[in-house]
Amino acid sequence: MDTYVIGFRALNKTMLASVGGKGANLGELSRIKGILVPDGFCITTDAFRKIIVLNPAINELLDSLSSLKRHDTNQIRVLSAALRKLIEETGIPQDIQEAIFRGLSESGIEKAYAIRSSATAEDLPTASFAGQQDTYLNIIGKEAIGQHIRKCWASLFTERAILYRVHNGWDHRKVQLSVIVQEMVFPDAAGIMFTADPLTGNRKVCTIDAGFGLGEAMVSGLVNVDQYKLYKGKLIEQQIALKKSGIYSLREGGTTVQELATEQQQKQVLREDQLLALEVLGRIIEAHFDGPQDIEWCLEEDTFYIVQSRPITTLYPIPKAPDDENRVYVSVGHNQMMTDALKPLGLSFFRLTTPASMLVAGSRLFVDVTAQLASPVRRAQLIETFGQSDLLIKDALKKIASRKGFIKPSPEATTQPAGYIDKTMSWSDLAPFENNPGIVTDLIQQNQNSIATLRQNIRAKSGAALFAFIREDILELKSLLFNPQSWAVIKVALYASSWINEKMYEWLGEKNAADVLSQSVPNNITSEMGLALLALADVIRPYPAIITYLQEVTTDPFLERLLLFKGGKEVYDAIDHFLNQYGMRCAGEIDITKNRWREQPSLLLPILLGHIKNHTPNAGQQKFAKGQQEAFQKEQMLLDALVRLPDGAEKAAETKRMIGLLRNFIGYREYPKYGMINRFFIYKQAMLQEAEQLVAAKIIQAPEDIYYLTFEELAEAVLSHKQDQTLIHERKEAYNRDQKRNLPRVMTSDGEIITGAYNTEHVPAGAMAGLAVSSGIVEGCARILLHMEDAVLEAGDILVTRFTDPGWTALFVSVTGLVTEVGGLMTHGAVIAREYGLPAVVGVENATRLIKDGQRIRLNGTEGYVELL
């Protein structure tokens, strides 16, 4: 085999390092029965490396390039131009020239060729890098071919290719370039075929774009194209475009844009029989590569040629099903207010704590709701349940349920879906809770006692005994999470909130009355945490030297140095006290692997410094008192208005009872999760001690490696003192890849993403619709935050983020409004927003992308929309 030139039929998928993703795929395509591929060869990466080595100036420029970041656009532009000029002007060494000439002689030196780039980081299952390097068509003659080979090498360093690598974290030196020299096809038509719908993700829908002439016109966006969709051998949709021009080959070489004859401009590019034949070819190629493909094709004299195939890397993975029946999956992350990817240990721990059967896809959790949708009664309950938490999921489920024949009907079932809360209650159901707030106190004490017992007993456990102990204790955790009395308290609170909103609107025309009545309620562990942070800021505020020190802190540990300052002992003790109460929390806390505030206290510094800057002393006490006063005034206003109605005394009495139930019990909604996160942190600390021993024994490289094992795999590693480091490396790469994926709310077993929509009748034109969860209208500057540790807030800011869980609510006391992409009426962020009297709209799709940081917006938390001002 030649070092520098390899023919297509000698290539396969194992030769990525030599010929790049595109070249390796062409080798695979060339050997698939029934697939016609224009012949050619690849100039290997050995040739590219030799060009680089022979020119020291190129290496110097690469050294300069390696230190640049995404924002260094001017330097990237200058270095890009310099690198390309050097490479294009570098002569091709004699031995490489001879190898290329041999390859051309075998194919026919007089023929026309397409010269394409093939990078080692291109057309991969994990990243397409499509279009980052250059392609040249209809190149004729040895000299022209050599010139365009150098242009392809140089195209590795176009600005777009450099920025793409920087964005995806690829080392410029580790990406090598092969060049494809392929016989030209002079097609009547050409285009692109996706064996899955790239917009919906449906793996059973094949989409085809087609235009007259060369496919380059379509890739470069120069011309309109016909668009076709096929489903299992049937043409289900087509759009015939007005095609004014196409790109065609010139006799002397190169290409030109040519205007089409009038009668051809609206002509259908492909007949139906041709479309069906192309779909068959696509499915053959898809089966060979074991995954959906993005395929470039040409049609010449009624014969299809395939000139490229690459994986579609943008599709969200599908949860694995036990059979081929149609299934519907709902995201767990959207209900847990954490849509980030979870590491394997985090996934397995969350699955251990829930009775629901959960599936993993894209490092996120899903539940299969097919069985509920198959039964009319359970379907109604399921859709109502999601209506309480996420209206977009509710609407998506209604859409899929309305499709005839998609889900086979099943006999009626009496069991209710997980999380379903029946809204129907009678006064006799509520009577045991009236005037009995001690129920909540007892439940909290029971949880605290259990955690204290766990903390004491786990100290003596290690090795296999530790993991057996944790398995046993998870049963205790589940008994607390799903304690019937605990659920009853939450049910009563939710019922009271719903009743108040419904009746006050019916009787008084008052919208969302429960929002104000929920302010400053007792026993809300999450809102108490936010107020405790304000109190902590009060402790720090009198010491300017400590404030300056904290402003300069960039890493942990930093607490011990506080003792060197005046007031340092007081501040240290106050922070330590806060961490003892709330240090197990963090953003994204359902993932046990996330750094907790106790583990990384510096995560809290932006919040504390913001509180010192934006608030006056005793702001926490004042805020709580203000909320209590507003809730009391709201109650009096409602009762006064009710007594003036027919049967007013009775209505006022009923309402007063409901307000009492709401205020006594709605705060407890936050406690069960706090108890779970407490236990998670205790488990984690114990497991990290085992991880230290695995590191000492050189079984893993770092304690954090255990995050990429499931609970059972970690237990086995501790028992056997064996672990495959390759598995950990692969899982790290998969996690990093999955972290970039957008999590769908609802998807099917076909991979189709079902999107829901809001009823926008009440939403002004141009406004962004969402779910109103906390009443009020506020204007301010949008502060876009994707990571809580980046929080730098000014007075009057409106927080705009993807999701909030209890860790995020520490910021709520510093903002005037809240907008999230994910959320529901009774999720944590909504509950705390209401308690703080913070106007909030959740479930605003793409809010963090459509709203600009610093942009002035108006948030309507009563009607549920955001206006861009």
Side-chain angles (χ1 to χ4, degrees):
M1 184 181 294
D2 197 305
T3 304
Y4 298 123
V5 170
I6 306 174
F8 287 170
R9 295 185 185 280
L11 297 173
N12 60 57
K13 61 185 177 183
T14 67
M15 302 173 73
L16 180 71
S18 294
V19 296
K22 192 177 292 183
N25 289 351
L26 277 169
E28 292 287 330
L29 284 167
S30 298
R31 292 197 305 278
I32 303 175
K33 185 178 179 181
I35 302 300
L36 298 178
V37 178
D39 201 12
F41 57 86
C42 289
I43 303 168
T44 67
T45 54
D46 286 341
F48 176 77
R49 279 191 290 271
K50 188 167 186 176
I51 295 295
I52 301 297
V53 169
L54 289 175
N55 199 326
I58 294 176
N59 279 290
E60 291 174 12
L61 291 173
L62 283 175
D63 288 339
S64 300
L65 191 62
S66 64
S67 63
L68 299 183
K69 306 298 181 188
R70 291 169 61 181
H71 58 271
D72 299 321
T73 52
N74 289 332
Q75 293 125 297
I76 287 173
R77 185 177 301 112
V78 171
L79 287 174
S80 167
L83 277 164
R84 285 183 282 119
K85 185 173 186 295
L86 271 173
I87 293 171
E88 287 183 31
E89 293 177 351
T90 297
I92 299 177
Q94 185 66 30
D95 53 349
I96 299 176
Q97 284 192 52
E98 291 173 356
I100 295 170
F101 185 72
R102 285 193 296 272
L104 289 171
S105 297
E106 290 178 12
S107 297
I109 200 154
E110 75 289 347
K111 290 182 178 180
Y113 289 90
I115 314 295
R116 304 175 187 272
S117 307
S118 178
T120 53
E122 188 176 17
D123 292 356
L124 308 179
T126 56
S128 73
F129 280 68
Q132 299 308 310
Q133 283 77 52
D134 289 344
T135 291
Y136 302 95
L137 301 178
N138 196 29
I139 308 303
I140 302 172
K142 194 165 94 170
E143 185 177 336
I145 290 170
Q147 177 189 356
H148 286 88
I149 288 169
R150 291 196 298 272
K151 283 180 175 290
C152 277
W153 282 332
S155 72
L156 187 64
F157 300 106
T158 61
E159 289 178 53
R160 68 176 183 271
I162 291 170
L163 286 167
Y164 194 93
R165 289 194 294 274
V166 170
H167 178 74
N168 286 277
W170 286 77
D171 187 331
H172 300 294
R173 288 187 178 277
K174 290 184 179 178
V175 180
Q176 306 293 318
L177 199 75
S178 167
V179 178
I180 296 165
V181 181
Q182 186 174 28
E183 292 180 24
M184 273 293 294
V185 174
F186 300 97
D188 305 306
I192 298 168
M193 168 170 53
F194 293 95
T195 62
D197 189 327
L199 296 180
T200 68
N202 194 324
R203 302 325 196 251
K204 293 181 180 177
V205 172
C206 182
T207 69
I208 297 172
D209 290 356
F212 292 115
L214 293 165
E216 184 64 17
M218 182 184 314
V219 174
S220 57
L222 293 175
V223 299
N224 294 327
V225 293
D226 288 357
Q227 295 182 323
Y228 309 94
K229 289 191 177 185
L230 299 100
Y231 178 77
K232 294 183 176 180
K234 291 183 180 179
L235 179 62
I236 58 172
E237 186 179 322
Q238 65 178 10
Q239 295 180 2
I240 309 304
L242 177 63
K243 301 168 285 292
K244 292 187 176 182
S245 59
I247 293 183
Y248 291 87
S249 300
L250 293 169
R251 183 179 298 275
E252 65 274 18
T255 61
T256 185
V257 178
Q258 181 177 313
E259 188 173 336
L260 299 178
T262 303
E263 64 272 13
Q264 193 179 12
Q265 290 183 6
Q266 296 190 46
K267 182 181 178 182
Q268 184 169 321
V269 175
L270 296 178
R271 303 187 307 268
E272 186 167 344
D273 63 307
Q274 291 173 326
L275 289 165
L276 299 180
L278 192 53
E279 182 192 21
V280 170
L281 295 179
R283 295 304 177 198
I284 292 171
I285 295 169
E286 180 182 63
H288 177 85
F289 286 105
D290 193 27
Q293 296 290 297
D294 167 1
I295 299 166
E296 296 177 28
W297 56 268
C298 296
L299 178 66
E300 185 180 44
E301 297 180 355
D302 217 29
T303 298
F304 283 109
Y305 294 89
I306 304 300
V307 295
Q308 190 48 247
S309 184
R310 63 178 65 89
I312 305 175
T313 59
T314 56
L315 300 174
Y316 198 89
I318 307 171
K320 289 185 178 178
D323 52 43
D324 293 330
E325 296 293 327
N326 290 334
R327 295 185 176 275
V328 180
Y329 306 108
V330 174
S331 158
V332 174
H334 282 86
N335 280 281
Q336 286 297 323
M337 300 305 101
M338 217 287 276
T339 56
D340 288 346
L342 280 76
K343 298 183 182 76
L345 190 63
L347 288 166
S348 63
F349 253 95
F350 194 79
R351 293 171 84 181
L352 285 169
T353 61
T354 175
S357 176
M358 293 187 179
L359 306 165
V360 177
S363 299
R364 275 88 163 190
L365 292 167
F366 291 83
V367 289
D368 184 343
V369 297
T370 313
Q372 289 97 317
L373 291 174
S375 158
V377 171
R378 296 181 70 192
R379 181 191 311 139
Q381 293 172 341
L382 179 79
I383 290 173
E384 182 189 345
T385 298
F386 281 109
Q388 298 166 11
S389 61
D390 192 310
L391 290 180
L392 293 177
I393 293 179
K394 175 183 178 180
D395 191 62
L397 291 175
K398 289 172 73 174
K399 283 182 181 178
I400 199 71
S402 68
R403 291 186 183 175
K404 292 182 179 179
F406 187 80
I407 296 173
K408 293 179 180 178
S410 69
E412 293 300 332
T414 56
T415 57
Q416 295 174 338
Y420 177 73
I421 296 178
D422 188 354
K423 288 185 177 180
T424 59
M425 296 187 78
S426 66
W427 284 112
S428 60
D429 296 324
L430 299 171
F433 296 90
E434 280 193 273
N435 304 313
N436 191 11
I439 295 175
V440 170
T441 307
D442 292 344
L443 286 169
I444 290 174
Q445 189 61 54
Q446 179 185 352
N447 208 313
Q448 290 176 342
N449 292 343
S450 178
I451 289 169
T453 301
L454 164 64
R455 189 174 282 115
Q456 178 66 33
N457 292 343
I458 203 170
R459 291 173 183 168
K461 308 298 181 184
S462 63
L466 170 65
F467 292 90
F469 175 80
I470 291 174
R471 287 189 196 96
E472 187 68 26
D473 191 75
I474 285 174
L475 298 177
E476 169 73 2
L477 167 58
K478 290 167 81 170
S479 73
L480 291 167
L481 282 175
F482 305 107
N483 179 341
Q485 190 176 40
S486 180
W487 274 99
V489 167
I490 294 171
K491 178 179 176 180
V492 166
L494 296 184
Y495 176 76
S497 176
S498 177
W499 187 96
I500 290 168
N501 282 336
E502 181 182 326
K503 295 298 183 183
M504 294 309 99
Y505 186 66
E506 176 188 341
W507 294 340
L508 300 175
E510 181 86 18
K511 277 193 173 183
N512 306 328
D515 290 0
V516 177
L517 296 170
S518 300
Q519 290 182 195
S520 299
V521 296
N523 297 315
N524 189 316
I525 190 68
T526 306
S527 64
E528 289 170 2
M529 177 185 73
L531 299 177
L533 269 174
L534 283 171
L536 181 53
D538 287 346
V539 177
I540 301 170
R541 186 177 282 107
Y543 304 108
I546 291 179
I547 294 172
T548 300
Y549 165 63
L550 295 179
Q551 289 170 336
E552 296 169 350
V553 168
T554 56
T555 60
D556 293 286
F558 70 91
L559 290 175
E560 286 71 20
R561 286 200 61 201
L562 287 171
L563 300 174
L564 302 177
F565 294 88
K566 178 185 177 182
K569 178 68 165 61
E570 182 184 358
V571 171
Y572 178 96
D573 289 345
I575 293 176
D576 189 60
H577 177 71
F578 178 87
L579 292 174
N580 285 337
Q581 288 184 292
Y582 305 107
M584 76 296 296
R585 309 214 86 152
C586 66
E589 62 190 12
I590 65 167
D591 183 352
I592 197 172
T593 71
K594 292 275 189 180
N595 276 344
R596 311 284 137 173
W597 292 339
R598 171 57 82 179
E599 296 171 301
Q600 193 178 350
S602 61
L603 292 171
L604 290 169
L605 292 183
I607 305 172
L608 284 170
L609 293 169
H611 287 352
I612 292 168
K613 176 183 176 182
N614 296 323
H615 294 280
T616 57
N618 299 317
Q621 296 176 19
Q622 293 166 11
K623 189 173 185 66
F624 190 79
K626 181 173 180 285
Q628 282 184 315
Q629 182 65 22
E630 289 178 357
F632 174 74
Q633 290 172 349
K634 186 73 170 180
E635 178 179 0
Q636 290 303 118
M637 184 273 286
L638 293 173
L639 297 179
D640 289 346
L642 287 169
V643 295
R644 294 193 289 270
L645 299 177
D647 301 321
E650 183 180 342
K651 289 174 178 173
E654 289 182 30
T655 301
K656 187 169 181 61
R657 294 173 72 186
M658 285 297 182
I659 292 173
L661 291 169
L662 174 72
R663 290 194 59 80
N664 281 334
F665 298 118
I666 196 67
Y668 178 73
R669 165 73 177 80
E670 293 290 296
Y671 205 89
K673 187 175 184 182
Y674 173 74
M676 180 180 84
I677 300 305
N678 252 300
R679 297 185 104 84
F680 271 21
F681 188 43
I682 296 169
Y683 301 155
K684 181 183 181 182
Q685 289 174 304
M687 290 188 295
L688 283 173
Q689 290 182 359
E690 297 297 319
E692 294 286 358
Q693 295 185 34
L694 294 176
V695 172
K698 298 184 177 179
I699 295 164
I700 58 176
Q701 295 176 352
E704 293 77 17
D705 284 355
I706 69 170
Y707 298 161
Y708 299 92
L709 301 174
T710 67
F711 178 74
E712 297 301 336
E713 288 170 344
L714 176 56
E716 178 59 29
V718 169
L719 181 65
S720 66
H721 266 226
K722 294 178 183 177
Q723 181 53 52
D724 180 6
Q725 197 65 36
T726 303
L727 175 67
I728 291 174
H729 177 72
E730 289 174 352
R731 294 223 177 126
K732 286 180 181 179
E733 289 191 335
Y735 170 78
N736 291 332
R737 186 167 64 248
D738 289 339
Q739 188 70 287
K740 299 173 185 177
R741 300 184 190 275
N742 291 322
L743 174 63
R745 282 176 163 84
V746 179
M747 66 188 304
T748 72
S749 49
D750 291 341
E752 181 183 5
I753 294 171
I754 311 297
T755 55
Y758 292 107
N759 180 347
T760 57
E761 291 178 3
H762 63 288
V763 177
M768 303 167 63
L771 177 64
V773 296
S774 186
S775 295
I777 300 172
V778 65
E779 291 185 14
C781 284
R783 190 60 57 214
I784 310 297
L785 279 181
L786 301 183
H787 306 286
M788 200 180 91
E789 58 267 29
D790 297 332
V792 179
L793 299 169
E794 300 291 338
D797 281 351
I798 296 174
L799 175 61
V800 181
T801 188
R802 290 174 299 180
F803 60 83
T804 61
D805 62 1
W808 278 85
T809 55
L811 296 173
F812 285 15
V813 294
S814 285
V815 296
T816 58
L818 172 69
V819 178
T820 70
E821 295 179 343
V822 176
L825 189 63
M826 292 311 299
T827 50
H828 300 276
V831 171
I832 305 305
R834 289 194 290 273
E835 181 167 337
Y836 284 163
L838 188 72
V841 180
V842 302
V844 181
E845 288 201 287
N846 299 315
T848 58
R849 280 174 280 182
L850 297 176
I851 302 172
K852 306 301 180 187
D853 189 59
Q855 184 174 16
R856 194 159 184 83
I857 63 175
R858 180 185 296 119
L859 181 162
N860 190 318
T862 304
E863 298 292 347
Y865 59 83
V866 179
E867 294 177 279
L868 307 180
L869 306 179

